[in-house]
Amino acid sequence: MNVEDDEQGAGRKRGARRRWAIGAGAVVAAAAVAIGVAAARSGSPNIAAPHACHTAAHGTAPAGAPAKDGRTPAGSAPVADFDGDGHPDLAMGALGDVENASAGGSIAVAYGSGDGTALARCQYLTQNDAAIPGKADYEAYFGTDVVARDLDGDGYTDLATAVFDDEPSVIIVWGSPDGLKSGVRVPGAGSSHVSWTLDQALEEHLVAGDFDGDGHADLVFGLGSGKGLLKGPFTRSGTPAGTGPVTAPRRPAPGIGTANYSGLVAGDLDGDGADELIAFHHDEPLGTAKSEERWPVSYFRARNGGLAQPDDIDLPDAAAGAVGDVNGDGLADLVLSPRRGKVSHSSVTVVYGSEAGPTKGKRPVTIDRDTPGVPGAEPQDKDAAFVSLDTGDVNGDGYADVVAGSPRSKEYAKTGPEQVLLLLGGPNGPTGEGAQVVDAGDIGGRKSARATFGMSVRLTDMDGDHRADLTVAAPGDDKVRSSAWVLPGTGHGLATDGVTRLYGDTFEHTGKLRLYMGGGGIAR
């Protein structure tokens, strides 16, 4: 790779997951984005039906009765059920190659069976399918920021994703009794306009929530856009019920010239029945020490039919976040992977929700490897950093627990332990008591390999026992096959027996394509 090629590809490398997907030797030459086709092509009216999964099992599932509590902690994302059979389903964005399109992107869908972590059927979605709008194109990254919500109110979960085939846009794939069957492009979706963000046209992010509190799922796609809020319900043509403005985040400090736009999170942190929006950016001036890199976090709440930043909420610098009620007070809390200063990159900060908003109630708490009860020593290098977070009730006690993935995902990161940390919630929030660390070697994978284990994590109850099970993705690279594992939740935490492992060829039968499964996130 020469310097000119690297500079030409830099724009495509800005977003955290997209930067990883084209690293490690993949093509990064200048994009030659073809004019997209807005309507679905002629051919079969439906997406190819789900097929039998090729998976592997690790150990025997632990026996146990359903949790007695059965409460769903505040802030938990709705369970995805694309075929409406009552069994939760999974969808993972895969930002790698597809037939005829390098980095065209795909989505790997696994339908739950209700039998532990076993899966009933699998499905592979790309823009090569006649029922999905556009066509698979070079670096289109179909499958970026996948989200799962019932967007048209018919009772079946739908799947939405960002795509970059013509210009940044959103595609919705509709759920049905037969699963995901057909897709539409959302017409007229906005795009970001943030003066201090680097090349926002190639850094667009998508998130779902109920931002106006009307009971219908909405989408946000476009900071600084007059129609960045896409309000549900959506029609079958993809048209939202309305749109609203999302103000551009304020420049967090005079010294920040430009910054990467790295993600969105949504959740109701003040208990008013409407979700708020949290946006993450990253400022890395040339020559700056890692401890002084800036990771500004912006907070938005409903205002004037859209979303805007209040003046009195100041969140700590962080690289990623998730929302869930970790202390059982009925209000969702914001869980962050903190950055800047002396804070450990292998720590988790909880900013507690309150009726006045985050930072206005109980004082934030940071848990790291030095906290009593948390296993393992503090890593001695900055490449061991948490980049993915989720919340859910793993042990069934009614409190949201936290999982944090540390995949060593940067292109030149040192090889070392790649792990997922579980922190248990409780009446005082996470304290370190009962914490657990899992790496790929514990569940039949490679231990300490550069497979990016923990790039994406998701907690959802796959078997109906009122305990959240962990899905963790290891998208791999050009030399290591991608994999994902589903670990059972138990009354004592995560089990390392009864684990289901999925491979790239679980979905794409030839096994020849670099799927980078989970590189675009796990839908929530």
Side-chain angles (χ1 to χ4, degrees):
M1 180 187 300
N2 61 38
V3 173
E4 181 179 357
D5 286 340
D6 195 32
E7 290 176 347
Q8 289 173 330
R12 290 286 181 181
K13 298 171 73 175
R14 302 298 184 190
R17 286 190 284 268
R18 287 189 288 283
R19 179 181 63 237
W20 168 82
I22 65 173
V27 178
V28 293
V33 179
I35 297 175
V37 180
R41 300 179 305 284
S42 61
S44 171
N46 294 322
I47 293 167
H51 54 77
C53 296
H54 168 217
T55 61
H58 179 77
T60 302
K68 294 180 180 180
D69 191 287
R71 291 180 296 163
T72 300
S76 298
V79 170
D81 186 2
F82 303 120
D83 56 4
D85 66 354
H87 303 313
D89 306 320
L90 297 170
M92 294 176 283
L95 301 186
D97 300 345
V98 300
E99 186 178 356
N100 304 322
S102 174
S106 60
I107 302 175
V109 182
Y111 293 83
S113 68
D115 181 15
T117 60
L119 300 170
R121 301 173 297 158
C122 288
Q123 195 173 24
Y124 175 61
L125 310 180
T126 78
Q127 286 184 286
N128 284 320
D129 197 302
I132 295 180
K135 69 174 185 176
D137 204 353
Y138 172 69
E139 288 190 355
Y141 297 123
F142 173 77
T144 297
D145 287 343
V146 284
V147 298
R149 291 291 193 284
D150 180 3
L151 294 170
D152 60 355
D154 68 351
Y156 297 96
T157 304
D158 309 305
L159 186 65
T161 182
V163 66
F164 301 82
D165 52 353
D166 180 7
E167 58 183 6
S169 61
V170 178
I171 287 176
I172 298 174
V173 185
W174 302 113
S176 77
D178 299 316
L180 296 167
K181 291 190 68 172
S182 63
V184 296
R185 195 185 299 263
V186 176
S191 58
S192 288
H193 303 280
V194 182
S195 62
W196 53 276
T197 290
L198 283 169
D199 203 356
Q200 63 261 29
L202 297 176
E203 294 185 350
E204 203 58 77
H205 290 272
L206 175 70
V207 72
D210 181 6
F211 299 102
D212 53 11
D214 67 352
H216 298 291
D218 311 313
L219 300 173
V220 167
F221 189 74
L223 300 182
S225 167
K227 50 186 177 181
L229 173 59
L230 305 169
K231 300 180 181 181
F234 291 72
T235 68
R236 279 295 176 134
S237 66
T239 304
T243 61
V246 179
T247 61
R250 292 187 295 269
R251 192 184 302 271
I256 293 183
T258 56
N260 298 326
Y261 171 24
S262 57
L264 297 172
V265 168
D268 182 5
L269 299 170
D270 57 11
D272 66 352
D275 288 332
E276 289 85 57
L277 178 72
I278 301 95
F280 297 85
H281 287 78
H282 178 206
D283 174 41
E284 187 178 2
L286 185 65
T288 301
K290 280 188 176 291
S291 62
E292 293 306 315
E293 292 176 14
R294 290 169 291 198
W295 300 78
V297 180
S298 304
Y299 172 83
F300 304 77
R301 61 160 57 112
R303 191 175 73 186
N304 297 329
L307 296 167
Q309 276 186 277
D311 295 325
D312 59 342
I313 302 293
D314 186 19
L315 295 171
D317 282 30
V323 173
D325 183 8
V326 298
N327 64 349
D329 65 355
L331 294 170
D333 308 303
L334 178 61
V335 181
L336 298 172
S337 175
R339 294 291 188 273
R340 202 173 183 196
K342 297 181 179 180
V343 65
S344 165
H345 290 189
S346 293
S347 62
V348 169
T349 294
V350 179
V351 179
Y352 288 97
S354 75
E355 292 183 355
T359 73
K360 299 297 183 179
K362 184 178 177 181
R363 184 172 180 169
V365 172
T366 296
I367 310 292
D368 59 24
R369 293 297 179 89
D370 294 328
T371 301
V374 179
E378 177 68 27
Q380 297 304 304
D381 63 273
K382 295 296 184 182
D383 293 328
F386 291 140
V387 302
S388 61
L389 295 166
D390 199 17
T391 67
D393 186 3
V394 171
N395 59 3
D397 63 357
Y399 299 97
D401 308 312
V402 177
V403 286
S406 174
R408 296 180 178 267
S409 56
K410 289 197 173 183
E411 291 179 58
Y412 304 109
K414 294 180 181 178
T415 298
E418 297 181 333
Q419 301 174 331
V420 174
L421 172 68
L422 169 68
L423 298 173
L424 298 180
N428 297 313
T431 62
E433 183 179 354
Q436 181 181 0
V437 169
V438 177
D439 66 26
D442 297 326
I443 48 179
R446 292 187 181 186
K447 190 178 182 72
S448 301
R450 275 296 305 274
T452 60
F453 178 82
M455 168 69 79
S456 298
V457 293
R458 175 76 172 100
L459 286 173
T460 190
D461 179 12
M462 295 295 294
D463 54 10
D465 68 352
H466 305 303
R467 298 184 180 98
D469 309 305
L470 170 66
T471 301
V472 52
D477 57 24
D478 290 358
K479 297 179 180 179
V480 180
R481 285 197 308 169
S482 64
S483 293
W485 291 261
V486 185
L487 288 70
T490 76
H492 304 289
L494 294 168
T496 54
D497 290 320
V499 175
T500 295
R501 183 174 183 178
L502 302 90
Y503 301 90
D505 55 8
T506 299
F507 305 95
E508 191 278 313
H509 288 303
T510 70
K512 296 178 180 179
L513 299 177
R514 302 187 187 107
L515 293 191
Y516 301 135
M517 187 170 60
I522 303 172
R524 69 184 310 273

